[in-house]
Amino acid sequence: LNDNPSHYKVTLSGIVKSPKINFDPPFLMLMPVPLDVKTETTINIIPQDFLRKSQIQVELPELELEDGDRIYPFSVQFPEGKNIVISSDGTNKELICHISFRSSRPVSFLGNMFFIDKEAN
């Protein structure tokens, strides 16, 4: 460089990867059970491309019954925690999630549960 008028051009390129989560199994079907009996299953949550620690939150559906009452028959538990952790090789550790359903009133439901990170993704 030293008084040399040459110009240098540097070009940078990259790929932006957005964090995402996948589920195994990809959808959930709980078996019908008698009233006030719990049914449950386990799913694996597979985080991908998270570059920093995050935590999963779950938005559970509220169900409206025929008489207008509202209930929350679903519950979730994360026996090993809800934190998305980055391992030493840069991958994210899978999370285990137990989903259960119990209702003292007759109800059927087809809908979504939302799993979000702390940035509402």
Side-chain angles (χ1 to χ4, degrees):
L1 297 166
N2 304 325
D3 297 326
N4 185 348
S6 299
H7 295 281
Y8 295 91
K9 182 179 178 181
V10 176
T11 303
L12 301 174
S13 65
I15 298 172
V16 176
K17 292 185 176 184
S18 297
K20 62 182 175 182
I21 55 177
N22 292 312
F23 300 91
D24 181 27
F27 64 92
L28 178 65
M29 182 182 297
L30 296 171
M31 298 308 294
V33 292
L35 294 178
D36 223 16
V37 172
K38 181 166 68 169
T39 182
E40 60 187 333
T41 193
T42 299
I43 63 169
N44 291 317
I45 299 174
I46 307 160
Q48 294 178 328
D49 301 323
F50 281 82
L51 301 177
R52 58 183 171 266
K53 186 177 175 182
S54 190
Q55 189 175 77
I56 294 290
Q57 301 295 325
V58 183
E59 294 178 1
L60 297 174
E62 174 186 60
L63 306 184
E64 184 174 350
L65 302 175
E66 290 179 0
D67 63 1
D69 285 351
R70 296 183 175 276
I71 61 170
Y72 291 89
F74 293 97
S75 64
V76 296
Q77 292 183 330
F78 293 85
E80 297 175 6
K82 300 189 282 187
N83 292 327
I84 296 174
V85 179
I86 302 168
S87 64
S88 59
D89 64 358
T91 59
N92 302 125
K93 183 181 175 191
E94 290 185 8
L95 301 172
I96 296 171
C97 179
H98 296 299
I99 299 174
S100 62
F101 173 91
R102 180 189 307 233
S103 177
S104 59
R105 308 266 303 271
V107 65
S108 63
F109 171 75
L110 174 63
N112 296 311
M113 287 183 184
F114 293 99
F115 291 77
I116 57 174
D117 66 15
K118 66 181 179 182
E119 295 173 5
N121 294 312

